[in-house]
Amino acid sequence: MILKEYQQQAIDWYELFLRRCRDLPSHSQAYEETTREWYGTPLLYRNLKKLPGVPYVCLRIPTGGGKTLVAGMTIPRVNQSYLFVQHSITLWLVPSEPILTQTLKALKDPNNLLHQAVFSALDSVEVMDIDEAMRITPAVANSSNVIIVSTMQSFKQDDKDRLTAYKQNTDMVSHFDGITDAQVRGNTSFVDMLRLRHPFVIVDEAHNQGTTLAFETLSRFEPCAILELTATPDRSHQPSNVLYSVSAASLQAAEMIKLPLELIRRPNWQDALRDAIARLNHLQEKANEEKKLTGEYIRPVMLLQAERHDAGRETLVPEKVKKALMEDFGILEEEIAIATGAEDTLGKEDVLSETCRLRYIITVDKLKEGWDCPFAYILCTFRNTNSSTAAEQVLGRILRMPRAYKKQCPELNEAYAFVTSSDFQATVESLRDGLVRNGFEKQETKDLIHAPEESEALELFSPTSITFATPEVLDPETIPSNWEDKFEIIPESGSITIKGNWSAKQAEEAVSVFKTAEGKNAFRKAFEKLKTPISNKPKFPSEMDVKFKVPLLSYRNGDLWEAFEETHLLQGEWRLLDYPGELSESEFSKDESAVQGGRFNISTKGKVNFEYFDKLTTELAFVEHQEVWDQGILTRWLERNIPEDTISPDEKAAFLNKAITNLVEQRGFTLEQLTYLKFQLRSRLDEKIKSAKLKAMKSVHQGLMGLPDNFIADDHCFMLFEQGKYAYNTPYNGFTELPKHFFPVIGDLKADGEEFECAVFLATQLEGVKYWVRNISHKSTSFSLQTSTDRFYPDFVCLLEDGRVLVVEYKNERDWDLPDSKEKRQIGELWEHRSNGKGLFIMPRGKDWAAIRAKVD
């Protein structure tokens, strides 16, 4: 299964956090270290008041980014890197019945990507709804990975005794065999069974589920960990611990969503419908061309949002819209479906099927959630789109890209909305706010909506909100509650958003919230910007369809030139068996089993024991079925569960078998002990294999560096910076203007520091720069060079006026002589040397701007 880059990174960062939760004294420290590594600064971790010992973090992924797939793929990571078990129970809580139906269907359908991903990563999976789970047997719970999908409403109620999940359940009694403690047994309800087994809890949109009661409900399960996935983390009541945040730019670069969103307003509804039909027909022509070019079938669909019945006035109800389609525009009835509460001719129709004829789907509210059709390209709404509900309709239904990859015909990469609202400016603002609510960065939304070039559209460029970087981290609790609609703290990007109308008195009160002079000054500057209209928005090179070509370092492979990458370092004659696989006492000890030993104790008063790791591991070891494997079974299990495609399965198995033999014959381990510790053993041997691979790669890399004639940097292989292909994590929010950037947004650049000063020099002082790009690390849309261990992403890439490409890697004086820096200079200088004068590479020692200028000269 191929995950999108940002999806894989979200899962990997979550697993790293889980590993650190096991290795470090507190979840707070694990969170701070992980966010320091990811964001560049440690973020404040907030414990759940009812569950202080439970790791709770949030993955923030915008609408259309595949949150459900990411959620499913975190389950095996929890088993492997946190619980150290083969089987576990996951309680997957969703906000509504439509989402429940959609999630269950995806998990149970063998043809669905989510099902395939989860079932291939886990051993023995059982997917259940709440009714099925109420009858689960110990045999199934002990020998399967059980995923229970439910709404929060099944458990969330002040008077919990009224809910079936809390009532005595005879089917649950056998789960408590051998347990006499009345506090543990409870009344042997379904919730008591969950509490006994400490489920991993996935919460879809926790902040939308009634925060206080929702988190109190979660505490009743005594979960091992809680993961929230949302586009809009809570900022106030129970601020979400955002561990990883995906920007809309990453979704666009990954070709997950259709952008820009084109917005067209017509005062008359018949005119809006006429234009929408014309655009749909045009898109169908483009879809036909696409099929000839690529073979992909697309049938663009229009969603029409009608009005509700109103006894007091005449409204555009679904029946009237359908009549207009047929009588005024000659649309065939078989191409139209109505999907409302009262009438549903859409039913279970597979709109993506080539045999389906539907092109028009009329709705009122039903398509708000739980319905997904990537063929939906156009929304034509006859309702008041100044409301947030209307904006949500647009975002949730027409932004997903068919098959999640860019089309040859550019019109098929955009989404379209036709509206009839009387206040165009208010419509634009509601759509902009809707994008923000669905997880899109505020700094991006002004660039994601196209509006017609007419006088009324000029108002688009008067800001209603400003986001600015702040040198101090504010606690949300210090912000007055009546400012919630004016003031928003965004800790994961180190910024604050102010919006709306402010009185002078309110502005001065807001200044006092900041404790430092720098914070107060940053707010005052942002407030002045908020009051100042913006006009004549400049065009950036990328917006004018300019393409910035950068030659990659190519390697001669026989008669072919190929982009130099990791695979070339593994083509040499290296064998895994030539590297030691023995695990020393410091690498793998019999004391590993002590981690699962016993401080398990439930207080007679029923209070939570905060030493949660030991209690958790002991209980899970108690309920998991344990068997002893022979050496062959253990070797095969390790081979399957240590992914490394560059080594043949037989060679990997031989290496692992040799390591096990050493542990048994030289270290005195029994196969029973190794079976019990198989997850820890897998982690240690995985590290051994990775270490051997890196040593081999370094050896091959140094050998190749001595053969420069086998490399070239020209048009054989190149990458393009272009519109829609710039993935970043957080936008630059500083007040210093940095001109000549190729893209409208400057990604992942702090507003101060030496690297920022280097950007200022390149943007404003270096002669001959035509435009420049802040190059983002670990993004497929960035320029990179292969080192002996990984990809090297230089900080800046510039196109000079004379056509040469200047690559700059900033390095402070302290780190300039480190081995890693020397290797980066070596590969960068090779790229320059083999570019025939078209490429320049420089790693200045600290603020040696003269060295950059000399390189260009």
Side-chain angles (χ1 to χ4, degrees):
M1 183 197 65
I2 300 177
L3 291 167
K4 295 294 184 180
E5 181 180 49
Y6 69 86
Q7 294 172 331
Q8 186 66 58
Q9 288 181 351
I11 297 165
D12 289 345
W13 281 103
Y14 183 55
E15 181 175 27
L16 178 60
F17 167 72
L18 293 174
R19 288 179 182 270
R20 286 174 171 163
C21 283
R22 298 301 311 231
D23 296 338
L24 298 176
S26 69
H27 306 323
S28 174
Q29 190 174 343
Y31 180 74
E32 288 175 6
E33 285 203 14
T34 307
T35 53
R36 179 191 288 112
E37 188 174 338
W38 171 240
Y39 295 114
T41 184
L43 301 182
L44 176 65
Y45 180 81
R46 291 178 170 83
N47 279 309
L48 294 176
K49 294 178 182 178
K50 294 277 187 178
L51 294 167
V54 176
Y56 158 62
V57 293
C58 169
L59 300 179
R60 176 190 172 279
I61 302 176
T63 295
K67 293 195 298 290
T68 306
L69 180 59
V70 171
M73 292 309 294
T74 61
I75 299 173
R77 303 300 182 96
V78 171
N79 285 4
Q80 295 166 9
S81 299
Y82 184 61
L83 301 181
F84 295 159
V85 297
Q86 190 165 350
H87 303 122
S88 64
I89 290 184
T90 298
L91 182 60
W92 192 321
L93 298 173
V94 298
S96 66
E97 288 294 335
I99 300 296
L100 171 67
T101 302
Q102 187 182 51
T103 305
L104 277 170
K105 180 181 178 183
L107 282 166
K108 290 186 175 184
D109 181 6
N111 295 318
N112 190 280
L113 182 60
L114 176 63
H115 174 98
Q116 295 168 0
V118 171
F119 277 67
S120 64
L122 293 171
D123 170 61
S124 183
V125 182
E126 295 286 342
V127 179
M128 304 178 176
D129 61 24
I130 187 68
D131 293 331
E132 294 167 323
M134 292 279 192
R135 301 186 296 275
I136 188 174
T137 65
V140 172
N142 292 341
S143 62
S144 305
N145 284 287
V146 180
I147 303 174
I148 303 168
V149 186
S150 174
T151 61
M152 182 74 83
Q153 285 68 33
S154 296
F155 303 95
K156 188 180 72 175
Q157 194 164 311
D158 286 319
D159 184 7
K160 61 182 187 295
D161 293 334
R162 295 172 57 187
L163 295 175
T164 304
Y166 297 93
K167 294 179 180 179
Q168 187 175 33
N169 185 338
T170 56
D171 289 321
M172 297 294 105
V173 173
S174 57
H175 290 268
F176 298 88
D177 288 347
I179 296 177
T180 58
D181 191 324
Q183 291 289 341
V184 177
R185 291 177 63 89
N187 65 349
T188 63
S189 67
F190 175 67
V191 170
D192 289 326
M193 184 278 294
L194 289 176
R195 185 164 52 84
L196 175 69
R197 295 176 178 273
H198 303 293
F200 169 47
V201 176
I202 295 172
V203 188
D204 191 350
E205 308 284 353
H207 64 284
N208 286 332
Q209 304 198 28
T211 307
T212 303
L213 188 53
F215 285 107
E216 182 175 331
T217 299
L218 295 179
S219 69
R220 298 167 184 167
F221 308 132
E222 295 191 12
C224 64
I226 300 172
L227 173 65
E228 180 186 6
L229 289 105
T230 182
T232 50
D234 188 9
R235 306 282 188 201
S236 53
H237 185 85
Q238 173 60 58
S240 301
N241 296 316
V242 179
L243 182 76
Y244 181 87
S245 181
V246 178
S247 69
S250 293
L251 261 65
Q252 187 178 19
E255 301 173 354
M256 291 288 288
I257 51 178
K258 312 182 192 102
L259 284 176
L261 164 65
E262 185 174 290
L263 175 64
I264 300 96
R265 170 185 170 268
R266 292 288 180 263
N268 182 281
W269 72 271
Q270 287 100 336
D271 291 342
L273 183 56
R274 176 202 63 209
D275 291 354
I277 292 171
R279 177 55 57 86
L280 186 70
N281 291 335
H282 175 71
L283 289 178
Q284 186 60 62
E285 292 176 2
K286 294 299 178 182
N288 295 340
E289 293 178 18
E290 187 77 17
K291 187 171 184 180
K292 292 178 182 177
L293 291 170
T294 66
E296 180 182 2
Y297 171 75
I298 299 175
R299 187 184 66 263
V301 169
M302 183 193 303
L303 305 182
L304 297 107
Q305 189 181 33
E307 295 181 301
R308 298 187 182 93
H309 287 273
D310 188 337
R313 66 183 181 92
E314 184 178 359
T315 55
L316 284 170
V317 296
E319 296 78 10
K320 187 171 182 178
V321 174
K322 180 179 179 180
K323 182 179 180 181
L325 284 171
M326 296 174 63
E327 296 184 0
D328 298 340
F329 299 100
I331 306 300
L332 299 176
E333 187 171 12
E334 62 195 41
E335 295 181 349
I336 305 169
I338 294 179
T340 66
E343 181 180 359
D344 187 3
T345 59
L346 179 61
K348 296 183 179 180
E349 181 84 49
D350 182 4
V351 184
L352 303 182
S353 170
E354 292 194 37
T355 61
C356 179
R357 299 291 302 277
L358 291 177
R359 299 178 69 224
Y360 302 87
I361 298 175
I362 306 170
T363 182
V364 177
D365 291 315
K366 188 174 180 181
L367 297 181
K368 284 181 183 177
E369 60 183 3
W371 186 85
D372 183 19
C373 176
F375 284 0
Y377 269 82
I378 295 176
L379 181 127
C380 184
T381 179
F382 307 118
R383 296 179 60 185
N384 178 12
T385 50
N386 302 342
S387 69
S388 61
T389 300
E392 302 276 343
Q393 282 273 347
V394 175
L395 297 165
R397 304 286 68 85
I398 64 172
L399 286 185
R400 287 172 173 81
M401 181 75 82
R403 296 178 183 263
Y405 58 75
K406 192 174 183 179
K407 312 308 170 194
Q408 297 291 316
C409 298
E411 292 91 338
L412 296 174
N413 296 319
E414 298 191 14
Y416 307 85
F418 292 78
V419 301
T420 59
S421 58
S422 56
D423 189 337
F424 184 71
Q425 171 65 18
T427 298
V428 171
E429 294 302 335
S430 70
L431 292 178
R432 194 177 280 169
D433 290 344
L435 285 166
V436 171
R437 276 189 298 275
N438 281 266
F440 292 77
E441 298 289 344
K442 290 179 173 63
Q443 293 75 24
E444 299 170 62
T445 57
K446 62 182 180 295
D447 303 314
L448 299 182
I449 299 177
H450 281 176
E453 297 290 335
E454 49 184 293
S455 58
E456 62 184 342
L458 294 177
E459 294 291 324
L460 280 171
F461 306 120
S462 296
T464 58
S465 67
I466 290 290
T467 299
F468 64 99
T470 173
E472 62 180 280
V473 178
L474 295 183
D475 188 330
E477 295 181 4
T478 65
I479 308 303
S481 58
N482 61 342
W483 285 7
E484 288 182 358
D485 60 339
K486 294 177 178 291
F487 206 97
E488 182 179 2
I489 299 172
I490 311 172
E492 61 265 27
S493 61
S495 57
I496 290 173
T497 295
I498 56 174
K499 50 193 172 182
N501 297 316
W502 291 69
S503 66
K505 181 179 179 182
Q506 287 174 324
E508 281 307 309
E509 290 174 352
V511 170
S512 66
V513 171
F514 295 89
K515 305 304 180 187
T516 64
E518 293 83 3
K520 295 176 187 292
N521 189 44
F523 174 81
R524 288 192 178 103
K525 288 183 177 179
F527 183 69
E528 288 303 313
K529 253 188 172 181
L530 185 69
K531 297 191 301 181
T532 305
I534 302 171
S535 60
N536 300 322
K537 181 173 177 283
K539 283 282 186 181
F540 292 82
S542 62
E543 295 178 313
M544 296 183 285
D545 204 30
V546 174
K547 291 179 171 56
F548 179 0
K549 181 188 291 188
V550 183
L552 298 174
L553 188 62
S554 304
Y555 176 72
R556 189 200 306 273
N557 193 359
D559 295 331
L560 299 175
W561 288 101
E562 301 171 340
F564 183 47
E565 56 188 25
E566 180 183 283
T567 55
H568 296 112
L569 303 180
L570 298 169
Q571 291 176 353
E573 303 246 341
W574 84 280
R575 296 173 67 251
L576 178 60
L577 289 170
D578 292 339
Y579 292 82
E582 296 81 7
L583 293 171
S584 66
E585 176 70 19
S586 62
E587 292 172 315
F588 185 71
S589 166
K590 290 182 180 180
D591 289 338
E592 297 272 346
S593 59
V595 178
Q596 298 190 342
R599 283 187 297 187
F600 168 49
N601 183 28
I602 296 182
S603 164
T604 56
K605 296 181 180 180
K607 292 185 178 180
V608 177
N609 184 344
F610 297 151
E611 295 183 27
Y612 213 68
F613 293 147
D614 290 348
K615 166 189 171 183
L616 167 66
T617 311
T618 302
E619 291 185 337
L620 287 170
F622 170 75
V623 299
E624 185 186 21
H625 175 63
Q626 179 64 42
E627 60 181 327
V628 180
W629 292 346
D630 63 33
Q631 186 162 335
I633 295 175
L634 181 57
T635 298
R636 288 192 294 274
W637 182 86
L638 288 168
E639 189 278 318
R640 289 195 308 271
N641 286 276
I642 298 179
E644 183 48 71
D645 296 336
T646 61
I647 303 169
S648 72
D650 289 343
E651 184 177 1
K652 193 197 313 182
F655 178 86
L656 296 170
N657 187 65
K658 182 180 176 182
I660 295 170
T661 299
N662 176 266
L663 289 171
V664 173
E665 295 182 357
Q666 304 300 321
R667 300 279 313 283
F669 279 87
T670 66
L671 285 172
E672 183 177 14
Q673 288 173 316
L674 294 178
T675 303
Y676 184 68
L677 298 173
K678 59 183 177 288
F679 289 97
Q680 292 95 321
L681 179 60
R682 182 207 59 206
S683 296
R684 305 304 184 272
L685 289 173
D686 186 23
E687 291 167 6
K688 275 284 185 184
I689 292 175
K690 283 184 170 64
S691 175
K693 178 182 173 182
L694 287 178
K695 289 177 182 176
M697 288 171 60
K698 286 185 177 181
S699 175
V700 174
H701 192 273
Q702 283 304 109
L704 294 179
M705 292 300 98
L707 302 169
D709 289 346
N710 285 341
F711 294 90
I712 198 74
D714 61 9
D715 287 345
H716 279 98
C717 297
F718 58 87
M719 60 87 58
L720 287 176
F721 288 114
E722 59 181 321
Q723 178 73 339
K725 291 289 186 179
Y726 184 57
Y728 56 89
N729 302 306
T730 56
Y732 167 68
N733 288 320
F735 288 97
T736 302
E737 295 293 333
L738 298 175
K740 301 181 185 177
H741 195 257
F742 186 72
F743 296 101
V745 176
I746 302 172
D748 294 18
L749 181 67
K750 293 185 178 180
D752 54 17
E754 295 181 15
E755 203 168 272
F756 166 71
E757 293 179 45
C758 184
V760 172
F761 171 76
L762 296 174
T764 64
Q765 300 169 36
L766 181 61
E767 300 81 4
V769 173
K770 187 174 183 179
Y771 34 76
W772 63 284
V773 173
R774 166 59 164 161
N775 199 47
I776 312 300
S777 291
H778 299 101
K779 300 293 184 185
S780 59
T781 54
S782 297
F783 171 72
S784 64
L785 297 166
Q786 179 68 46
T787 69
S788 65
T789 56
D790 55 14
R791 303 296 296 182
F792 159 43
Y793 297 82
D795 294 319
F796 306 100
V797 182
C798 310
L799 181 68
L800 303 179
E801 294 284 358
D802 59 16
R804 292 179 297 166
V805 175
L806 170 68
V807 173
V808 180
E809 167 69 2
Y810 179 81
K811 194 65 63 178
N812 59 52
E813 292 190 54
R814 181 182 65 255
D815 297 335
W816 198 83
D817 283 321
L818 292 177
D820 178 63
S821 299
K822 291 180 180 179
E823 185 178 18
K824 288 178 178 179
R825 286 200 299 277
Q826 182 185 35
I827 192 70
E829 289 165 1
L830 176 63
W831 173 83
E832 174 184 317
H833 174 61
R834 299 301 295 159
S835 71
N836 295 320
K838 295 181 180 178
L840 304 172
F841 176 85
I842 179 71
M843 181 188 288
R845 186 192 289 267
K847 302 178 186 180
D848 187 2
W849 311 140
I852 300 178
R853 189 171 274 120
K855 171 66 69 172
V856 172
D857 292 342

